[in-house]
Structure formats: C-alpha cells, structure tokens
Amino acid sequence: MTQSSSYFPIHVIGGGLAGSEAAWQIANAGVPVILHEMRGVRGTDAHKTDGLAELVCSNSFRSDDATSNAVGVIHAEMRMAGSLIMASADKHQVPAGGALAVDRDGFSDAVTKAIHDHPLITVVREEISGLPPKEWDQAIIATGPLTAPSLASAIQAETGEDSLAFFDAIAPIVYRDSIDMNVCWYQSRYDKVGPGGTGKDYINCPMTEEQYNRFVDALIAGDTVGFKEWEGTPYFDGCLPIEVMAERGRETLRHGPMKPMGLTNAHNPAVKAYAVVQLRQDNALGTLYNMVGFQTKLKYGAQAEIFRLIPGLENAEFARLGGLHRNTYINSPTLLDPSLMLKSRPGLRFAGQITGCEGYVESASVGLLAGRFAAAERKGETISLPPATTALGSLLGHITGGHLVTDEEPGKRSFQPMNINFGLFPELQPGSIVRPEGVKRFRGKDKTIMKRQLIAKRALADCGAWLGQEVAFAASA
C-alpha cells in the first residue's frame, strides 16, 4: 500500500471552481478525495451543463496584471501554488486585452477531465441534502451562492438562525486614499462617540442644493440592472436601492441617508450643507470606506460616473461597486477559524463564495486554501497560513476576521462579500514610497500606482517564501 492510499479520503461537496480546486490541492498532496457534485442528478436555475467549474456568468477572470492589480496578483499566487483553475484558464485563454478571459466550454471540459483523470479523486454525482455525516471526519462544503435549500437549512441549523444571508444589499466601497479630504471631513453625527467610536467615525461629503439636485437627477436617469427570476424578491425593509429612494421624491434622500443634520463642515463651519453623503470605515485596516445607505442596482459604469458627482469623490477609486442580488454566504468571521474550519464542528471546512468572497478567482483561491489546510491536517502536518501581506492571506484575513466589530453589530452587518483588492492588504512600511529621481511632482495617480506596485511585489515575494519558492517579480508580471 502506497503512502497516498493510506489516508482516509477527504470529502468535498460542490464541483464548482472552489470545490474543484480544493479537490485538486488535496489530491496533489497525496490524500484521496471524494468529490460530490449535485449537477447530473439535480440541476440549478443558473447552470446549463453538468460540467465541473462551469462559468455561469462572465467568461472573464479579470485583470492578469500582477505588477499593479490585486486580481493579477492573486492569479500569480495561485499559479505558484499549482492551481488547476489557473492552469485550465491559461490553456483556454481567449483574447481580452490585459484581462484573462477563457473559452468557457473548453475551460470547464479541461477542469472536468483533470479531476476525473486524477487517480486520487473520485467524483460522485449526488445531492448532499444535509451536513456531511460525522463519520466522514474531514469535509469541505463548497456549494457556492446557489446552495440547495436543504443543505442551506442544515447549515443554518448547525450555525444559528442569523448565520446565513440569502440576499445581499451591497453599498459601494471607496479606497480611503482616493477621497479628497480638502473637501470632506471626519465627524460622527452630533459628534456621538458610541461604542468604540471617537466622535469622528465617518467621512462626510457636503453638497449644495444645486449639487444635490444634479445628483438626484443623475440617479433617476441612471441605467439599472434587472433582477433575474431566480434571484427572488428584490427589496426588503432598510435596503431600498438609492435610485429607488430618489424616485420616491426629490427630498427623500435628504431626509434619509443624505440628511445633513448634526454635521458641521470643518472646512467652512458657517455654511450649512444642503445634503451630506457619509462614508463609514469598512475594514480594520482603515483602508476602505463604504458609502452609507448607497446599496444600488445601477450598472457599474453608471455607478462610477454618478457617484463621482459627489464633492470629495470626484477622483474616487472603488474597491467594490454596489448591488443587490441573491447570495448565500455564512457569517464567516464568527463561525470559521483561520483555517476555514467551522468552530462548532472540527473537521468541517467551508470554501468559495459561501464563505463571503466574490468572483471566480477569489472563490477558487479560497478552495485552494481550504484544500491545502485539510490535506495538511489529514497528514498530521502543521497548517501553514499564507502571510497577511499576500493576496491569498489578505483575502483569508477578510473572510475570517478582517471586518469591524462593534458592540451594536457583532460582526454580521460589517461583514459582506468582497473581491480581492488592495484595500485588504496591510499598509506598506513608512517611507516605502519614495519619489523617483528627477520627478518634481509626485502625487495622485502616480503615487497610487507606485504604492500598488510595491504591495504587489511584496505579496509575490512573501507568497514565494510561504510556498518555498524564489520569485522573480518581473518574470511573474
């Protein structure tokens, strides 16, 4: 009996990007895998085939620039870690400029073949309607945003009534360093300190009456995204899209999320703002701020154009744009340990979008990590977490503890699904950004580009060290 067959198998539920990647990583570590996939027995409202890693939306994996784009950095790190998803994407790439886009059928076929051909992976076509039986010992749930209702109910029963979100109302998130603080100022409404606050917990963007009316007109005229039938009821109390509120009356926003009461413009105290947009710190690092009350169905292009009409946000860069859509994800920061294991049930891990990440590569990367962690545990090895300075580590940190916690909202509301972005990475050491020789004016976009290049370079070097590899940054770009 070989060493590889001496281990009990690890069960992976879900054959999407995360589940396929998890299975691949486990098997390549020499541990057998049983991959359970529902499609082929029971379909979903979104999938068209029973192929593994089917792409149900776009065929784009987004930017492949590892020198100054966070998505490109996570691409590079996954390639370094032997990712099946990235290898299959590279093999079936189609022209898309600086982005990595794929032939979706060829990509899915390649993943399916690789999984079926691996001698340590067994694919079982069946629906798992409840939590994995405890005799499985080690399992990973990677069932994505369209988790079957029966399994979702079982997860909810295990983790608590408030553990699952079935509908997402997401406000845009802005990079802190792209906000013009010569226009905006820090202040909580009525200078209220509150639990863990300072009285200056929000960034405030003031509007005159003319600016407010122009903004409302743009919202009402904005292009919105329609709901797909399977996404269910679109609105619920407290989560009306900002453009829907604007349509209900010109003054609605000024008496709702944009009310100016209790705020004094630090730059011009004698002039009362007609309306104020507030941004609240979104992550523990203080690099990201979300636009309070700005959940929206506007298309992405319209969002960026309209929200840059807000004073102080003219040059805003968005880590995430807003939306409302059906999603199933757990409250990971309170439920999962740093190795993605359910705290209430040792041996059971979660991976992919159900953990609270967004995007193809992000989902696959969390599968990659969950697979590596599970394999290490099965083999009796010490689990090695990726450094927080890497893309993999920063995304893992967001999922398992990077959100803000307050006494009033212990984790749930402050944790929402997120794509990989530079706002999740720790800041550079002071003095890291140095003006290039011969350059007189070094600020704004030029400084931001250098900052991102340095963060990317650090990430790849630290990921290489974690994986035991030497990294040549220029070659990985």
Side-chain angles (χ1 to χ4, degrees), residues 369-382:
L369 291 173
R372 282 177 164 259
F373 297 156
E377 183 175 356
R378 174 64 85 217
K379 296 167 73 174
E381 299 172 353
T382 300

Side-chain angles (χ1 to χ4, degrees), residues 8-296:
F8 289 111
I10 294 172
H11 295 258
V12 177
I13 303 172
L17 280 82
S20 297
E21 186 65 62
W24 185 257
Q25 294 290 327
I26 294 166
N28 280 350
V31 177
V33 182
I34 299 176
L35 177 61
H36 305 263
E37 171 52 47
M38 175 179 73
R39 286 175 297 119
V41 174
R42 181 179 180 275
T44 76
D45 293 322
H47 292 87
K48 305 301 182 187
T49 75
D50 60 4
L52 301 178
E54 179 188 340
L55 305 181
V56 299
C57 297
S58 167
N59 70 327
S60 175
F61 282 31
R62 311 187 333 270
S63 175
D64 203 36
D65 174 16
T67 64
S68 57
N69 188 290
V71 179
V73 174
I74 206 166
H75 284 181
E77 292 183 5
M78 291 172 68
R79 289 183 179 111
M80 292 162 62
S83 166
L84 170 64
I85 294 303
M86 290 307 303
S88 301
D90 289 338
K91 187 176 180 180
H92 292 277
Q93 183 175 4
V94 296
L100 173 60
V102 304
D103 176 297
R104 65 178 70 232
D105 293 332
F107 167 78
S108 176
D109 290 346
V111 173
T112 303
K113 185 178 189 306
I115 292 292
H116 279 281
D117 287 352
H118 200 295
L120 291 180
I121 301 177
T122 301
V123 178
V124 179
R125 297 284 180 167
E126 63 178 352
E127 179 181 357
I128 304 298
S129 58
L131 291 182
K134 292 191 176 179
E135 56 265 29
W136 283 7
D137 182 43
Q138 288 273 341
I140 297 173
I141 294 177
T143 47
L146 297 176
T147 297
S150 56
L151 179 55
S153 296
I155 295 169
Q156 195 167 40
E158 170 70 24
T159 57
E161 197 65 27
D162 295 329
S163 63
L164 279 175
F166 293 99
F167 201 85
D168 235 0
I170 297 176
I173 289 181
V174 180
Y175 287 109
R176 162 63 185 81
D177 58 11
S178 71
I179 301 170
D180 187 353
M181 295 308 295
N182 293 316
V183 174
C184 306
W185 74 97
Y186 286 101
Q187 185 187 8
S188 299
R189 205 176 296 281
Y190 299 108
D191 300 306
K192 184 177 179 181
V193 175
T198 65
K200 296 183 178 181
D201 302 320
Y202 293 80
I203 293 177
N204 298 278
C205 309
M207 280 187 174
T208 64
E209 183 174 3
E210 179 184 356
Q211 289 168 333
Y212 174 79
N213 284 325
R214 182 174 59 152
F215 179 69
V216 170
D217 289 340
L219 280 178
I220 294 172
D223 198 1
T224 60
V225 178
F227 276 92
K228 297 178 181 177
E229 290 182 7
W230 51 267
E231 288 183 300
T233 305
Y235 310 134
F236 55 97
D237 291 345
C239 285
L240 283 176
I242 190 80
E243 64 276 7
V244 172
M245 285 190 274
E247 290 171 350
R248 293 189 172 185
R250 183 158 292 273
E251 295 293 293
T252 301
L253 293 176
R254 206 169 74 84
H255 293 279
M258 295 175 63
K259 58 181 179 287
M261 283 77 79
L263 297 168
T264 302
N265 189 335
H267 303 295
N268 196 353
V271 176
K272 186 72 174 177
Y274 189 76
V276 174
V277 174
Q278 288 196 306
L279 294 94
R280 180 176 56 219
Q281 185 175 333
D282 195 79
N283 67 336
L285 295 174
T287 54
L288 302 173
Y289 275 72
N290 74 71
M291 300 176 68
V292 179
F294 269 61
Q295 54 272 0
T296 178

